[in-house]
Amino acid sequence: MDRYYGLNQSMVDQYAPRPGERELIPDLSDKAKVALMCRMLFKEGWNEHIAGHITYRLPNGNVLTNPWELAWDELRASDIVTLDHQGNILDSQWNTTPALGLHMQLHNARPDVNVVIHNHAHWSGIWANLHEIPPVYDQAGAYCGNDLPLYNEYQGTFEDSGKTQSAVEALGDAKWALLANHGSLVVGRDLRQAHLRAITLEWRSKRAYEVRLAGGGQPMPESVIEALTVSDINGFPFCWEAMARRELRLDPSILD
């Protein structure tokens, strides 16, 4: 049975927001949601200067992404760039990173992937540099399951579109990956799902590193991890909205 913080699915449905009852966040444009996503993940450790990129495929096939020139903690809705399905810029004077090639190929290869996130995240980046998979030690690290592939792109797989395609094939249907000596990659059906995966990966990595520094601990059994895994249907109740509200309180100009 899918569980959320000890709640079964029927209990989750009971506490899910109902239209017209309460507004958790204001109506947001798609560009505002992407800008918020960048700000939210910056706070979680996905914050290596101007590195990193998020792509969000819209129902019409266009893709929204952050510009190359701006750091994630300064982005506003008006900075977000619209691309066509081939990666051509449609509505911005900003540039986009050439590394978006992998994103576009992931979108094309996987109909289930509408969001791709990459950055040189702090805690998961440590494990990528160690070429190790962080064990799961607590509930918050178990929200997205245990399986986490490690992929070594520096063997030459990102040099051109053909080699990037080999990386897409190697990642298969994974929901996330550590990129050896580089950083982290997370994909998702929508922004809410991708957000939960990104923050879970970083929390899991942080806790595992702290446990190692403290002298070691006992990882959770696979059966317990499975029981704690959050269903991807609804995501963790209210988490995305709570983190969005935090950013809006700090800087309402995100919506500009």
Side-chain angles (χ1 to χ4, degrees), residues 126-137:
I126 291 174
W127 292 93
N129 291 341
L130 289 170
H131 290 221
E132 293 184 39
I133 302 304
V136 176
Y137 285 105

Side-chain angles (χ1 to χ4, degrees), residues 96-168:
T96 59
T97 171
L100 285 183
L102 174 62
H103 289 232
M104 304 307 289
Q105 286 179 301
L106 277 167
H107 287 304
N108 290 334
R110 293 182 56 178
D112 63 309
V113 169
N114 293 315
V115 179
V116 182
I117 307 171
H118 167 62
N119 207 323
H120 312 149
H122 184 122
W123 298 101
S124 51
I126 291 174
W127 292 93
N129 291 341
L130 289 170
H131 290 221
E132 293 184 39
I133 302 304
V136 176
Y137 285 105
D138 64 3
Q139 178 173 284
Y143 288 150
C144 297
N146 194 18
D147 186 47
L148 174 59
L150 174 69
Y151 182 69
N152 192 343
E153 57 169 304
Y154 286 131
Q155 293 175 346
T157 53
F158 284 8
E159 293 176 3
D160 56 44
S161 60
K163 292 180 180 180
T164 306
Q165 183 60 38
S166 71
V168 172

Side-chain angles (χ1 to χ4, degrees), residues 2-3 6 15 18 34 44 48 77 109 112 119 123 145 149 181 183 185-186 192 201 240:
D2 293 326
R3 296 188 177 275
Y15 292 107
R18 298 176 179 86
V34 175
E44 300 285 345
E48 200 271 282
D112 63 309
N119 207 323
W123 298 101
N181 300 112
L185 180 74
V186 168
R192 174 189 293 276
L201 176 59
W240 196 92

